[in-house]
Structures are given as C-alpha cells and as structure tokens.
Amino acid sequence: MRKKGKQIVYDCLKVLAIGVAAAAAAALLLFLGGFLIGENKALSGLEAAKDGLLLIFSLGLFLLAGMLLSKGKKPEKFTADNGWRSHFAVIGPKTALGILCAAFLVVASIADYLLMRL
C-alpha cells in the first residue's frame, strides 16, 4: 500500500510538471502574440496569455466532462501495447487531464496576478 501511495504522488507530480511546462509554453506564445498585436505591449500580452490559458482550461474541463459522461466512473481498460502504463503506473487519463487543467489554471492565475499588479 505504501508503494502505491508513492506511485500516485510521483505520477501526479509528473503530470503536474508536464502541465506547467505546456501551460508556460502556451502562455509564452500567447504573450508574444498579444505583445506584437496590442497597443499597450505588456498589458496586451498578459491579457492575451491569461485569456488563452483560461480558454484552454475550459476546453480541457469540457473534454473531461465528456469523458466522465460517456464512460461513467468505470476504470479504464488498458491493453499491454497501449504504452500508458509505461509512463504512469497508477493514474488514468481522466485524472491526468484533470491535473493538466489545474496546471493551466495555476499559470493563468499567475498571469492574472501579474496583470493586476501592473
């Protein structure tokens, strides 16, 4: 039981790190787009990054809701050649998507805080 708990924490931290890296990359691209197009450079870039990240977050939650509605709370059936278990020992795709959405929300909140401070 103790080993499974460590695997859950390791898998969640791994997905969170991937999510923060993906959200930071998306935020950087959105910031550059807003910076180049907007009139007030820094504010336009931060606003574009925040809005884009919140849009990605909401689309991810919409996808997660669809996954939960279509299959319910049944455990996923993985085949040996799937490859999912080679990356994540315990958590499934629904949990991973939820953690990814949380990572996008955290980065969007940081962008909103920076926007509020400027």
Side-chain angles (χ1 to χ4, degrees), residues 45-102:
L46 282 173
E47 187 72 31
K50 178 191 67 127
D51 292 345
L53 288 172
L54 288 176
L55 179 66
I56 294 169
F57 164 73
S58 62
L59 290 174
L61 284 184
F62 186 71
L63 180 64
L64 182 62
M67 289 170 69
L68 287 173
L69 285 174
S70 68
K71 291 180 90 174
K73 295 203 179 218
K74 297 178 205 165
E76 294 86 4
K77 294 181 178 109
F78 293 105
T79 59
D81 59 347
N82 186 310
W84 181 267
R85 291 292 170 216
S86 65
H87 296 290
F88 305 107
V90 180
I91 65 172
K94 294 174 193 171
T95 306
L97 183 60
I99 295 171
L100 283 172
C101 289

Side-chain angles (χ1 to χ4, degrees), residues 16-40:
L16 188 63
I18 292 169
V20 168
L28 182 64
L29 288 174
L30 291 165
F31 177 81
L32 289 175
F35 186 81
L36 293 174
I37 293 173
E39 296 231 353
N40 193 349

